[in-house]
Amino acid sequence: MSTVNLFKPIKIGATQLQNRVVMAPLTRTRAQKNIPSDLAVEYYKQRGSSPGTLLISEATYIHPSSGGGGFGAETVPGIWNDSAIVAGWKKVIDGVHSEGSKMYIQLWDIGRVADYEILSKNGYDLTGPSAIAQAGDEEGAKHVRALTIPEIKQKVQRYVDAAKAALEAGADGVEVHSANGYLPDQFIHWNSNHRTDEYGGSIENRARFTLEIIDAVSAAIGADRVGVRFSPWTTFQDMEVSEEKTLPQFKYLFEQLEKRGVEDASKRLSYIHVIEPRANGIFDMTPEPWQSNEPFRKIWTGNLIRAGGFNRQLAIDTAQEDDKTLIAFGRRFIANPDLVYRLEKDLPLTKWDRDTFYVPGPKGYTDYPFYKDQLEQDQELKQ
Ligand SMILES: Cc1cc2nc3c(=O)[nH]c(=O)nc-3n(C[C@H](O)[C@H](O)[C@H](O)COP(=O)(O)O)c2cc1C
């Protein structure tokens, strides 16, 4: 067995993995009518080609009212109680399982950053924690309204229903997307949440929505099949970051999740997934010296997936620090279907093409070469 932690097996919740390299969730806008396409089957199967690798799906709407936006309403996959959607995911997940790999579905509600026109056409309102749009969103500012308490409870239930649908499709688990300025993160952040009820006004109240989702989904499918993603340091989608406010807010979230696991092992989440301060949404950034995930890492004793700007050596060194760290790769996994194989063998990586991140079709999606094919082509050229 490898002495390098990154390539050693690890169990996360109910799921046994053979390595600690994770495919980060990556929106690719190639679904049709919210159903993953046959191209998605090939794309994920390719990336699961090293057995025992965890793939986290692209962010996936939990309900038709959860989406609509710059990404289009229907090119993002959904996961709700709809036979065509569940069948579409089943094909994807069966493909990943046939390679011996595992898949979590990332559960997504975009809240206030949705597109009002798309939502209203479908009979839904634009909602968020408060009637506050992100800076510069004039249309959003005209229409966004605060969710009522019954609507918040309904949202929590939709996460539960989506998680059940994910398991019905064969998923190994779900990841609650509480990062990058989407609905749960909008509740967490003081500048997008001005509520005066039990969902706003204090650290505890701002964390309530995310924790209620996690508790309800865990009760429904088992905490050992639930992960959550946080991005404490991102300013993406107008999330405010400050040393005084960010640290206690996210320490509280980590403490609460740790407390659940300590009090009752069956309530320990499969993992927490945290984005490094050097990543900001889909771009890189230079962190301030006080922006660090170390304070959170000290609180949480469970499995921790770390993402954002990892190259091979940094991933190896970081995973070597303890026996519970996994490393998620985003852009490198887009461009290298056999990323785990290349990392293990220390082979050169293909560079990603930003222009094809969000376009339809196979280009930049399923046509990145496997190293073995690249090698054969090079040899043919030499002959
Ligand atoms: C094209 C693209 C799409 C992304 N989509 C998502 C997403 O659906 N959900 C999410 O949580 N993060 C998303 N991210 C962020 C990545 O998961 C990851 O955190 C980021 O790319 C930094 O990691 P990297 O440096 O390894 O690429 C996306 C990033 C990119 C480049």
Side-chain angles (χ1 to χ4, degrees):
M1 199 203 287
S2 176
T3 53
V4 178
N5 279 355
L6 191 64
F7 306 119
K8 276 196 210 162
I10 189 168
K11 196 164 184 210
I12 56 155
T15 304
Q16 180 66 51
L17 303 174
Q18 297 308 321
N19 64 71
R20 302 173 191 195
V21 179
V22 175
M23 180 178 172
L26 295 158
T27 294
R28 305 305 311 277
T29 60
R30 270 120 167 141
Q32 285 146 5
K33 294 192 183 304
N34 303 117
I35 303 169
S37 66
D38 287 345
L39 271 183
V41 177
E42 193 185 339
Y43 166 76
Y44 282 112
K45 194 171 174 205
Q46 289 174 340
R47 281 152 187 79
S49 54
S50 284
T53 301
L54 177 65
L55 312 185
I56 302 171
S57 81
E58 62 211 276
T60 300
Y61 294 146
I62 57 168
H63 186 266
S65 65
S66 303
F71 292 120
E74 297 187 343
T75 58
V76 169
I79 185 70
W80 55 79
N81 189 9
D82 173 286
S83 54
I85 283 182
V86 171
W89 273 115
K90 190 162 181 349
K91 272 202 240 170
V92 170
I93 297 164
D94 284 352
V96 172
H97 285 169
S98 73
E99 298 292 315
S101 286
K102 307 290 178 181
M103 189 156 203
Y104 269 47
I105 293 189
Q106 192 186 44
L107 304 183
W108 204 24
D109 188 308
I110 69 176
R112 70 172 189 167
V113 298
D115 186 311
Y116 168 73
E117 273 196 27
I118 296 176
L119 285 180
S120 59
K121 250 187 248 155
N122 295 324
Y124 302 116
D125 287 352
L126 179 65
T127 53
S130 297
I132 304 171
Q134 67 171 320
D137 178 6
E138 284 170 24
E139 262 316 285
K142 274 190 239 157
H143 299 289
V144 67
R145 67 166 178 82
L147 287 160
T148 63
I149 292 209
E151 285 173 328
I152 293 176
K153 305 285 180 202
Q154 186 184 43
K155 289 270 183 201
V156 173
Q157 185 56 42
R158 284 181 180 151
Y159 279 89
V160 171
D161 295 343
K164 287 184 183 163
L167 259 65
E168 198 186 320
D172 296 282
V174 296
E175 177 175 285
V176 175
H177 192 348
S178 186
N180 291 348
Y182 296 109
L183 186 62
D185 209 20
Q186 292 161 21
F187 271 87
I188 291 171
H189 279 82
W190 45 95
N191 63 320
S192 45
N193 179 352
H194 287 186
R195 298 183 76 95
T196 52
D197 59 13
E198 67 263 39
Y199 289 95
S202 66
I203 287 176
E204 293 78 8
N205 286 352
R206 283 193 297 269
R208 193 176 306 284
F209 181 56
T210 292
L211 292 173
E212 280 186 1
I213 295 168
I214 290 171
D215 289 342
V217 173
S218 296
I221 66 166
D224 59 355
R225 297 197 179 275
V226 181
V228 60
R229 189 172 217 215
F230 295 124
S231 55
W233 306 110
T234 191
T235 54
F236 192 58
Q237 320 225 73
D238 203 19
M239 294 291 93
E240 203 173 287
V241 166
S242 78
E243 192 173 5
E244 303 73 40
K245 290 191 169 170
T246 303
L247 272 174
Q249 183 67 57
F250 282 89
K251 272 186 179 172
Y252 175 77
L253 279 157
F254 276 72
E255 277 160 10
Q256 283 296 307
L257 296 175
E258 177 64 14
K259 185 165 159 250
R260 283 160 174 69
V262 168
E263 284 173 2
D264 177 350
S266 75
K267 292 196 174 153
R268 163 93 46 205
L269 291 189
S270 170
Y271 64 81
I272 298 180
H273 186 171
V274 68
I275 301 176
E276 299 292 319
R278 60 177 168 266
N280 198 15
I282 68 167
F283 298 100
D284 299 313
M285 72 169 188
T286 307
E288 301 293 334
W290 45 268
Q291 295 184 326
S292 160
N293 288 331
E294 284 310 297
F296 315 130
R297 224 184 120 215
K298 285 194 186 121
I299 295 167
W300 173 246
T301 64
N303 297 310
L304 187 70
I305 303 181
R306 299 175 65 171
F310 282 98
N311 60 27
R312 178 179 189 273
Q313 196 54 52
L314 188 56
I316 288 177
D317 294 344
T318 306
Q320 210 62 28
E321 287 173 19
D322 57 46
D323 204 23
K324 59 172 193 181
T325 295
L326 300 95
I327 307 293
F329 289 85
R331 291 162 293 181
R332 287 166 183 79
F333 235 128
I334 289 178
N336 295 275
D338 53 351
L339 180 67
V340 182
Y341 176 80
R342 291 185 192 231
L343 293 175
E344 270 195 278
K345 307 275 179 224
D346 198 9
L347 300 169
L349 301 185
T350 303
K351 176 81 183 168
W352 59 86
D353 169 20
R354 197 169 274 277
D355 292 344
T356 52
F357 280 174
Y358 302 121
V359 297
K363 193 167 161 23
Y365 192 49
T366 49
D367 65 350
Y368 283 109
F370 279 72
Y371 187 76
K372 283 178 186 155
D373 299 335
Q374 236 172 338
L375 204 64
E376 269 169 31
Q377 275 170 16
D378 289 350
Q379 276 165 354
E380 275 166 24
L381 285 176
K382 276 186 208 143
Q383 280 168 7

